[in-house]
Amino acid sequence: MAKSVENENIKLGRKGERQAQKYLKRSGWKILETNWKNPFGEVDIIARKGDTCAFIEVKTRLTDTFGAPSEAVQNSRKLKYIRGANYYFINKEIDCTVRFDIIEIYKGELNHIENAFMI
């Protein structure tokens, strides 16, 4: 992939993550972490609302050439999120229900898919 296309994709992804964070805050979520790196990869957003902790993958697309943004979350990525979540709670005393969400942003429109995948 050419450098300029790669840079544009990174910018688009960061813009989508900012949009997702604003949406979550407006919806009553507390952002615990953003772009949280762990031995298994990176989690875009970790947020909490009430007794629910959500590990959220954000996918942003301008076209549907490769399908819906959420379709880009492959099983390998889901496994990294699950492993990351297990790692996140080591030595933490947080009592919550864990779920895995996807926020897809397509042409500026946000769709929050709750419980997008399970352990």
Side-chain angles (χ1 to χ4, degrees), residues 37-90:
K37 292 174 179 44
N38 64 79
F40 309 102
E42 181 179 291
V43 175
D44 291 335
I45 301 171
I46 302 172
R48 183 171 184 155
K49 183 175 183 181
D51 66 350
T52 301
C53 289
F55 288 72
I56 305 166
E57 171 77 356
V58 180
K59 284 293 180 193
T60 308
R61 297 286 187 271
L62 295 176
T63 70
D64 60 359
T65 303
F66 299 105
S70 60
E71 292 173 358
V73 183
Q74 303 293 324
N75 286 337
S76 60
R77 186 75 181 133
K78 293 173 185 177
L79 186 58
K80 288 178 182 183
Y81 262 64
I82 292 166
R83 289 178 173 160
N86 286 328
Y87 185 81
Y88 182 76
F89 290 105
I90 293 174

